Amino acid sequence: MAVRLPRLSNLLISFEMNLPRRLSQLNYLNNFMSSSQSFTEFYSSLIQQCIHTRSLMDVGIVQTHMIKSGCIHLSVGNKLVDAGLKCGSISYARKLFDELPERHVVIWNSMISSYVGRKKSKEAIGLYEKMVLDGVFPDEFTFSSVFKAFCNLGLVNEGRRAHGLAVVLGLEVSNVFVASALVDMYVKFGRMKDGRLVANRVVDKDVVLFTTLVVGYSQHGDDGEALAVFRNMIKGGIKANEYTFASILISCGNLDDLSNGKVVHGLAIKSGSELAVASQTSLLTMYARCGLIDDSLRVFKGFLNPNQVTWTSLIVGLVRNGREELALTKFRKMIRSSIVPNSFTLSSALQASSSLAMIDEGKQIHAMVTKFGLDRDIYAGAALINLYGKCGSTEMARSVFDDLIEIDVVSMNSMIYGYAQNGFGHEALQLFNGMKDLGLGPNEVTILSVLLACNNSGLVQEGCQIFATVTNNHNIELTVDHYACMVDLLGRSGRLQEAEALVKQVRNPDVVLWRTLISACKLHGEIEMAERASNKMLELAPGDGGSHILLTNVYASTGNWSQVIGMKSTLRDMKFKKNPAMSWVDVDREVHTFMAGDLSHPRSREINEMLENLTDRVKILGYIPDTRFVLQDLDEEHKERSLHSHSEKLAISFALLMSSNKDTVIRIYKNLRVCGDCHSWIKFVTKVIGREIIARDAKRFHHFKDGFCSCGDYW
DNA sequence: CTAGGGTTAG
């Protein structure tokens, strides 16, 4: 049972009241003096009591009394400052500190470390400089606090200067606290070499010093070195703790090194620190990055009270492993358990919604972004721009973009890409051209996005010009995707020779690149080049059915039916199954999927009635079925029937059946490219029904309105 | 009376 001390203020008030009565006062003092030997000890015990009750008011009373009795000298004065700090008022402590006639190095250290601990690094450094000027030598305690202050403020040169002083005073590596603070500072500045040099000189390395290095390498992308340092530590007989595990597991995940990850997992269990939240979270992340998402889920189940970071790590892991649906389920569960999401969480949830093109879900998360004040956060912002871009709402994307306070390369890329996939080439170019004025340098993704924008809008010259500039800019490394985009741009505009020449420039051409060229050949009926390219492609990927299909389509589109038959038998021999064309719509959060000629939908009869009706009406307006898009050797009537029941037409008919509100935009999705005949059909349909239709195909968005499409019939 | 290291992102 703790002894209950009398409240100090009451004690002192009676002390004051008795002041005129000398006898009483003396008695009172004598009481204390009998157990204490001096005023110093008397005040020390009073101060101790203040700290015990954490009462700043009592500290003030003692201070007043000490001043009155003229008893503020070295050790008691320092104790008073310490009491001020412990009672939670750094400003009061500072005031006392400044008034002290003499200051011990300990109290300098206490003040400095309190400032650092309260994120007031500027003040900490101010005091450090003042102490050096006053001729007080910093000691090992001073340095272990002050390096962190330089680190917090990013003051590299000042930190190096303090390092120099520590060397002069012989304190650099003689104390492992100083050394690890110093190493941490260099690590956070990204100067791994400087940090490593300091660490190497420490004789008695401990777990903190090693962990600092492990964290440094891990966070700066050198996971192999992190693992090497970790092994070194274990070999040296030093046991890892929860801090070490939290970091090294992330490195195992980054290296996709499951076997080491499992070994470390075992070590963590043995050491008993596997229950610490951060190391558990890293374990979860390690399994997710190694692709073992079920193990992540198992780790997650082990948490009694998952926190914000834990939930977020799980959601991030799920999205990474293509489990977007489950990611959103977990996200909703997290919100229901009153865990506040942060911008990491929300951007991941938004990413999940974008991948699934779930615009309503995304909009709800947008509302949460606003609710939690993250509207202007660059991460949440970029995720929102991606969402709206992927869902075909460039206006919303732009409005999010315009509200951002800070625009970085990634948010810029998201916006340019959003314009690109929706066919707003000029807008994309305008942003791209304005980057210089904003001080933003384009990166690989920027270039790919802007080239895609040119490609999707037929801005051939602009695209070529940008490509030429980038070829001479060695800061940007062109990938096969950049080339594929240019090949598509040149090829589709009919500049096939240039496109083929460009393919030949690529050192490691991939299947997609050849396929792009062949598609262009198909568009322009260039059978010879297509055959040339197909041979190259088959050398590269002999079993690739996609190239066979493509070549078959080239023959079909040019009417070479004998070759088509030959190709089809080859395909049969390969047992290749074509990825069937499919369209879908989202009605009340339920996805309805359609294949060509699909009769499986429960409302199939009504859908077909709607379809007949629409087609009859568009024919009156001038729609003529374009049978060139039927790649089978059928007679004209059968070709027309085949076109009539394309999946996108079924999806639109169903969507119309389900929503009579004229203001609602109809959105459909298709896994392959939209066919030319359907494209024309949809344009006419928007005229007939007076509504907007947005179609996302495998490559881009088409915004159909009043008989026109945003792609300008170029896709 | 004073000191050092960790987990989630496009």
Side-chain angles (χ1 to χ4, degrees), chain A residues 54 70 82 180 225 264 313 367 419 450 549 558 617 634 643 707:
Chain A
R54 299 187 60 84
D82 185 46
S180 44
E225 195 55 31
V264 176
S313 304
Y419 279 138
V450 77
I549 299 262
T558 46
R617 285 162 72 190
L634 302 171
L643 284 175

Side-chain angles (χ1 to χ4, degrees), chain A residues 1-253:
Chain A
M1 189 75 121
V3 179
R4 202 182 151 76
L5 294 160
R7 205 174 153 72
L8 188 65
S9 48
N10 295 340
L11 210 68
L12 283 165
I13 287 165
S14 63
F15 187 72
E16 297 274 349
M17 278 166 62
N18 289 332
L19 218 54
R21 294 151 62 186
R22 294 186 71 86
L23 196 67
S24 258
Q25 188 198 6
L26 276 176
N27 279 343
Y28 209 89
L29 275 179
N30 280 339
N31 268 341
F32 278 99
M33 299 297 271
S34 61
S35 57
S36 320
Q37 309 231 314
S38 63
F39 273 105
T40 308
E41 285 196 15
F42 165 58
Y43 284 126
S44 291
S45 72
L46 289 184
I47 292 169
Q48 212 58 54
Q49 215 171 309
C50 297
I51 294 172
H52 186 88
T53 55
R54 299 187 60 84
S55 162
L56 195 62
M57 201 178 80
D58 290 348
V59 181
I61 292 166
V62 177
Q63 184 209 356
T64 315
H65 216 272
M66 283 167 69
I67 291 168
K68 262 192 203 158
S69 63
C71 198
I72 290 211
H73 60 265
L74 186 63
S75 100
V76 186
N78 289 338
K79 282 207 168 83
L80 202 55
V81 175
D82 185 46
L85 290 174
K86 291 210 169 110
C87 295
S89 174
I90 199 160
S91 53
Y92 176 77
R94 178 60 189 267
K95 219 169 143 264
L96 279 173
F97 176 90
D98 286 339
E99 287 166 6
L100 290 182
E102 278 181 288
R103 299 177 198 102
H104 195 274
V105 63
V106 171
I107 206 63
W108 284 98
N109 292 340
S110 298
M111 285 299 305
I112 291 170
S113 75
S114 297
Y115 275 132
V116 177
R118 278 161 227 226
K119 306 266 164 255
K120 297 191 167 188
S121 300
K122 252 193 192 148
E123 286 83 350
I125 287 165
L127 271 191
Y128 164 76
E129 283 168 349
K130 193 166 145 60
M131 106 188 251
V132 175
L133 280 175
D134 281 10
V136 179
F137 287 110
D139 65 4
E140 55 266 51
F141 287 87
T142 323
F143 284 118
S144 26
S145 297
V146 95
F147 290 135
K148 195 173 184 177
F150 288 120
C151 175
N152 289 342
L153 297 174
L155 297 170
V156 183
N157 293 328
E158 290 80 349
R160 292 181 77 87
R161 212 175 302 139
H163 178 187
L165 184 56
V167 172
V168 170
L169 295 173
L171 295 168
E172 182 205 23
V173 291
S174 59
N175 176 305
V176 71
F177 282 79
V178 176
S180 44
L182 193 51
V183 172
D184 188 50
M185 178 181 82
Y186 282 126
V187 159
K188 301 256 157 74
F189 288 154
R191 295 168 167 266
M192 286 308 300
K193 279 186 187 148
D194 289 332
R196 187 64 184 254
L197 284 174
V198 173
N200 285 347
R201 285 200 290 276
V202 180
V203 182
D204 280 324
K205 299 183 183 62
D206 71 355
V207 61
V208 177
L209 186 66
F210 274 114
T211 303
T212 311
L213 278 179
V214 169
V215 171
Y217 286 121
S218 173
Q219 291 184 344
H220 288 95
D222 197 345
D223 298 293
E225 195 55 31
L227 209 56
V229 171
F230 181 79
R231 274 205 206 96
N232 225 331
M233 179 180 97
I234 302 293
K235 254 201 334 224
I238 293 164
K239 281 195 175 126
N241 62 20
E242 53 186 285
Y243 286 78
T244 330
F245 290 128
S247 204
I248 196 66
L249 284 166
I250 295 301
S251 278
C252 292

Side-chain angles (χ1 to χ4, degrees), chain A residues 628-698:
Chain A
R628 283 177 309 165
F629 293 98
V630 178
L631 301 176
Q632 286 160 301
D633 192 13
L634 302 171
D635 62 49
E636 282 303 307
E637 195 196 324
H638 281 93
K639 278 185 177 177
E640 197 175 321
R641 286 316 299 174
S642 152
L643 284 175
H644 178 68
S645 55
H646 270 185
S647 64
E648 47 268 62
K649 290 184 179 121
L650 291 171
I652 286 172
S653 306
F654 175 67
L656 272 173
L657 200 63
M658 297 305 290
S659 98
S660 47
N661 182 354
K662 286 226 166 212
D663 295 325
T664 319
V665 177
I666 291 168
R667 288 167 199 278
I668 68 155
Y669 305 89
K670 190 178 175 187
N671 63 339
L672 306 177
R673 305 278 297 273
V674 61
C675 112
D677 173 69
C678 288
H679 193 267
S680 153
W681 184 85
I682 300 168
K683 284 198 290 182
F684 280 108
V685 168
T686 54
K687 236 182 193 169
V688 167
I689 61 175
R691 291 174 66 168
E692 198 178 337
I693 296 175
I694 297 179
R696 192 213 66 185
D697 69 13

Side-chain angles (χ1 to χ4, degrees), chain A residues 221-290:
Chain A
D222 197 345
D223 298 293
E225 195 55 31
L227 209 56
V229 171
F230 181 79
R231 274 205 206 96
N232 225 331
M233 179 180 97
I234 302 293
K235 254 201 334 224
I238 293 164
K239 281 195 175 126
N241 62 20
E242 53 186 285
Y243 286 78
T244 330
F245 290 128
S247 204
I248 196 66
L249 284 166
I250 295 301
S251 278
C252 292
N254 287 341
L255 291 167
D256 203 358
D257 185 346
L258 186 63
S259 63
N260 269 315
K262 282 185 168 169
V263 171
V264 176
H265 185 178
L267 286 175
I269 292 172
K270 258 196 249 167
S271 77
S273 53
E274 91 280 6
L275 291 174
V277 179
S279 50
Q280 279 286 77
T281 305
S282 298
L283 194 59
L284 187 162
T285 302
M286 186 271 289
Y287 282 121
R289 290 194 188 166
C290 290

Side-chain angles (χ1 to χ4, degrees), chain A residues 362-398:
Chain A
K363 276 182 181 164
Q364 284 188 14
I365 301 171
H366 188 174
M368 278 188 231
V369 171
T370 307
K371 182 177 155 193
F372 292 108
L374 294 166
D375 259 318
R376 306 180 149 198
D377 178 275
I378 48 168
Y379 288 104
L384 282 170
I385 294 166
N386 278 332
L387 168 80
Y388 288 117
K390 279 214 176 73
C391 297
S393 307
T394 28
E395 281 161 32
M396 277 305 295
R398 184 57 193 247

